[in-house]
């Protein structure tokens, strides 16, 4: 079975631009979470979506937004890019939020903001 | 104080050594504990998943959780060069709090 897929794999943008990152969860998984991983740090939680609704949000500015589609895929949007947004953006999928939830990560999208 | 502390290393060991990786945490609400392995320029891969205190073994890997000390460990026996990666501890509380809180990761190199 295919794991979590993300696109694009790499992206270069300039300050002030907007970017959209895409994620397809593991087949049968209904929940998607987004994380930001800056070089040398552990991933930081941005959002979780389940059944198209936002179920959790981390300490990120409103420039970050996301949505989930009926097929459970998801998009992460970042507006007005800053140099500090350069990072690996990870998508994780899980069956559904709950006590036994286990999150499986995709390969990530590496974003460089110049 | 960060919620999760993890020594970033780097840690270098010879092939066949026993490796011990550790994390401490401050949030007593954490109930679920995970170890992920991340190869360079790849996404994290789930290695071990543990609920509450105790030990869990899977092949060469053993995860230990001591909630009274707020301390978790991952042991790797008979380490192999293919184990060279960054190891991330992660944890979450129960109920409706879904986010994983990660340590910084420990970079491990196993030398042939």
């Amino acid at each position: 079975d295919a794991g979590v897929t993300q696109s694009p794999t790499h992206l270069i943008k300039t300050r002030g631009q907007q970017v959209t990152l895409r994620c397809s969860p593991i087949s049968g998984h209904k929940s998607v979470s987004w994380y930001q991983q800056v070089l040398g740090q552990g991933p930081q939680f941005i959002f979780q979506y389940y059944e198209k609704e936002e179920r959790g949000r981390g300490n990120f500015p409103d420039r970050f937004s996301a949505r989930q589609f009926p097929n459970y895929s998801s998009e992460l949007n970042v507006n007005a890019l800053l140099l500090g947004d350069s990072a690996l953006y990870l998508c994780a999928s899980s069956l559904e939020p709950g006590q036994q939830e286990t999150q499986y990560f995709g390969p990530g999208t590496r974003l460089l903001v110049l | 104080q960060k919620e999760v502390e993890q020594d970033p290393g780097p840690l270098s060991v010879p092939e066949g050594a026993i490796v011990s990786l550790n994390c401490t945490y401050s949030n007593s609400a954490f109930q679920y504990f995970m170890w992920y392995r991340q190869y360079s320029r790849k996404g994290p891969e789930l290695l071990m998943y543990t609920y509450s205190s105790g030990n869990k073994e899977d092949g060469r890997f053993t995860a230990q959780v001591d909630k009274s000390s707020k301390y978790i460990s991952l042991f790797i026996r008979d380490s192999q060069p293919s184990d060279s990666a960054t190891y991330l501890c992660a944890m979450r509380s129960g109920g409706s709090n879904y986010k994983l809180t990660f340590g910084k990761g420990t970079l491990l190199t196993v030398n042939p």
Side-chain angles (χ1 to χ4, degrees):
Chain A
D1 283 343
V4 178
T5 59
Q6 293 186 243
S7 64
T9 56
H10 295 83
L11 207 51
I12 300 176
K13 292 285 188 179
T14 57
R15 281 180 297 174
Q17 285 189 311
Q18 175 264 341
V19 68
T20 297
L21 311 179
R22 296 176 176 82
C23 170
S24 291
I26 293 170
S27 177
H29 284 194
K30 299 180 180 180
S31 179
V32 168
S33 298
W34 288 95
Y35 291 79
Q36 180 196 64
Q37 187 177 22
V38 173
L39 193 64
Q41 302 292 321
Q44 296 289 316
F45 174 76
I46 310 175
F47 286 111
Q48 184 177 47
Y49 276 77
Y50 173 66
E51 294 285 10
K52 297 180 290 182
E53 291 190 3
E54 181 182 305
R55 300 295 292 269
R57 184 184 182 115
N59 294 325
F60 281 81
D62 292 343
R63 300 185 296 108
F64 289 77
S65 64
R67 55 179 175 168
Q68 186 177 32
F69 299 98
N71 66 355
Y72 305 112
S73 67
S74 177
E75 286 182 351
L76 175 71
N77 294 285
V78 187
N79 294 321
L81 285 167
L82 303 174
L83 296 179
D85 295 330
S86 296
L88 180 67
Y89 287 85
L90 296 163
C91 173
S93 80
S94 55
L95 281 169
E96 60 182 78
Q99 298 295 336
Q100 299 300 320
E101 178 204 29
T102 303
Q103 296 185 25
Y104 298 90
F105 285 84
T109 293
R110 192 164 297 278
L111 172 65
L112 178 61
V113 182
L114 301 176
Chain B
Q1 181 188 12
K2 285 201 165 190
E3 277 192 292
V4 179
E5 299 278 0
Q6 183 176 9
D7 186 342
L11 183 61
S12 181
V13 301
E15 183 175 353
I18 296 175
V19 176
S20 173
L21 304 168
N22 312 293
C23 289
T24 59
Y25 63 94
S26 58
N27 188 344
S28 58
F30 287 143
Q31 297 184 33
Y32 300 90
F33 304 91
M34 288 134 276
W35 286 95
Y36 286 85
R37 177 175 63 194
Q38 186 173 28
Y39 291 112
S40 180
R41 311 187 78 80
K42 301 289 187 184
E45 169 195 10
L46 181 65
L47 279 178
M48 301 289 283
Y49 179 91
T50 310
Y51 170 68
S52 195
S53 286
N55 294 358
K56 184 174 183 178
E57 187 173 322
D58 184 1
R60 297 184 295 111
F61 298 91
T62 299
Q64 289 186 349
V65 175
D66 182 349
K67 289 189 70 179
S68 62
S69 301
K70 296 188 178 66
Y71 187 87
I72 70 170
S73 301
L74 177 71
F75 297 95
I76 307 174
R77 290 183 300 279
D78 188 25
S79 56
Q80 303 295 310
S82 59
D83 295 328
S84 299
T86 295
Y87 289 80
L88 295 154
C89 64
M91 46 200 80
R92 60 176 282 260
S93 58
S96 61
N97 189 334
Y98 311 115
K99 75 169 192 177
L100 294 179
T101 301
F102 283 84
K104 291 180 67 171
T106 299
L107 178 60
L108 170 67
T109 300
V110 181
N111 301 299

